[in-house]
Amino acid sequence: MGGTPTLSRDFLQFDLSAIPPIATVDSAYLSLYNDPGYNSSNNSGNTEMLAMVQQPWVQDSITWIYQPVFSNTDTIITGVTNTPTASKPGIDITKFARYWVSHPNSNFGMAMLLANEQGAGLGNFQIYGACYDADSTIRPKLVVHWSYCPTSISNTESAFFDYDLFPNPATDILNIRSTENNAVDILLFDVMGRKIIAANQVKSISTSVLQPGIYLLNIVDGSRITVKKIIKD
């Protein structure tokens, strides 16, 4: 036998923007499925793990020399793979999902790697289906269970970093003025928790297309999230 052991890492990201930032994430389970199109040879008992990525990245730009930075402490051990056809259903990544939902501008996904990247076991590998795989049944799957109670948020508005919304009730334009006069990121939800509008770095939004009724405006200013009720006439 011959060859040189080679390290490999993968990066994975899910879009969770449809979940309101103030929602409660009850659980989140990731499933990885073996790709039968490859004859992997992992029988060394390598322990795999996930690590939270800390900066934006673009899929086609990642190389071994250039990789997004990932955390050494925000990690999840996904277990040992001993057979070349093993899948990993139901990996509990609830703590990751809770952070991504409450910090929507910091959802950079996760790195998939070996917990120990040293030793002879690097010659073995495990291949899972990718998100672009033609067979949709082996693509990575994330199932998130969350709850959202819009009637319970009336006291979540910040007294220190307040925002004036005017006119409210709104007809065509809603202006957003902060005490610091910053442009902000916003997510607008209806009372059923459905996302209606998302915009970055704005001081006003168009409300002309909205149906009359009550909406919840999530204002994201740096690490602060403030929720305001608005009315469309």
Side-chain angles (χ1 to χ4, degrees):
M1 297 181 65
T4 302
T6 302
L7 276 174
S8 177
R9 296 171 182 161
D10 294 297
F11 293 85
L12 187 62
Q13 184 178 22
F14 290 91
D15 182 2
L16 302 181
S17 62
I19 305 177
I22 60 170
T24 299
V25 175
D26 301 307
S27 63
Y29 292 98
L30 170 69
S31 294
L32 303 173
Y33 302 99
N34 169 253
D35 189 338
Y38 292 87
N39 182 22
S40 57
S41 58
N42 190 352
N43 58 8
S44 68
N46 287 334
T47 299
E48 300 165 2
M49 75 175 189
L50 303 170
M52 190 177 293
V53 176
Q54 298 174 315
Q55 65 179 138
W57 52 278
V58 177
Q59 177 177 317
D60 294 337
S61 67
I62 294 179
T63 66
W64 186 254
I65 301 301
Y66 170 74
Q67 298 180 43
V69 174
F70 55 84
S71 174
N72 292 320
T73 55
D74 288 327
T75 59
I76 295 173
I77 298 296
T78 63
V80 175
T81 301
N82 283 316
T83 65
T85 59
S87 296
K88 278 197 169 70
I91 301 168
D92 188 348
I93 66 165
T94 304
K95 71 173 184 178
F96 282 6
R98 284 175 177 165
Y99 179 82
W100 293 331
V101 168
S102 62
H103 300 78
N105 294 328
S106 298
N107 177 8
F108 306 126
M110 50 196 157
M112 302 168 58
L113 65 158
L114 295 178
N116 180 5
E117 295 186 331
Q118 305 293 326
L122 297 181
N124 299 315
F125 60 94
Q126 182 71 27
I127 297 179
Y128 301 109
C131 58
Y132 50 78
D133 202 293
D135 182 356
S136 62
T137 65
I138 64 172
R139 295 173 187 169
K141 180 172 68 174
L142 177 61
V143 177
V144 181
H145 295 277
W146 55 277
S147 55
Y148 180 68
C149 300
T151 57
S152 66
I153 62 151
S154 58
N155 295 323
T156 63
E157 299 176 359
S158 170
F160 301 100
F161 301 99
D162 205 1
Y163 301 87
D164 290 327
L165 306 181
F166 61 93
N168 188 17
T171 302
D172 297 314
I173 295 291
L174 177 73
N175 297 294
I176 307 167
R177 183 173 63 193
S178 72
T179 54
E180 299 169 337
N181 199 31
N182 292 338
V184 294
D185 298 341
I186 65 95
L187 294 167
L188 184 69
F189 298 91
D190 64 17
V191 293
M192 299 300 294
R194 294 172 296 207
K195 183 175 68 175
I196 307 300
I197 297 175
N200 295 325
Q201 294 301 288
V202 297
K203 293 186 178 181
S204 65
I205 60 172
S206 173
T207 57
S208 59
V209 298
L210 299 179
Q211 296 296 317
I214 297 173
Y215 296 84
L216 301 174
L217 183 69
N218 288 236
I219 304 170
V220 183
D221 189 353
S223 61
R224 303 190 298 265
I225 298 177
T226 301
V227 181
K228 291 281 190 177
K229 180 174 70 175
I230 70 169
I231 300 173
K232 168 61 192 295
D233 275 345

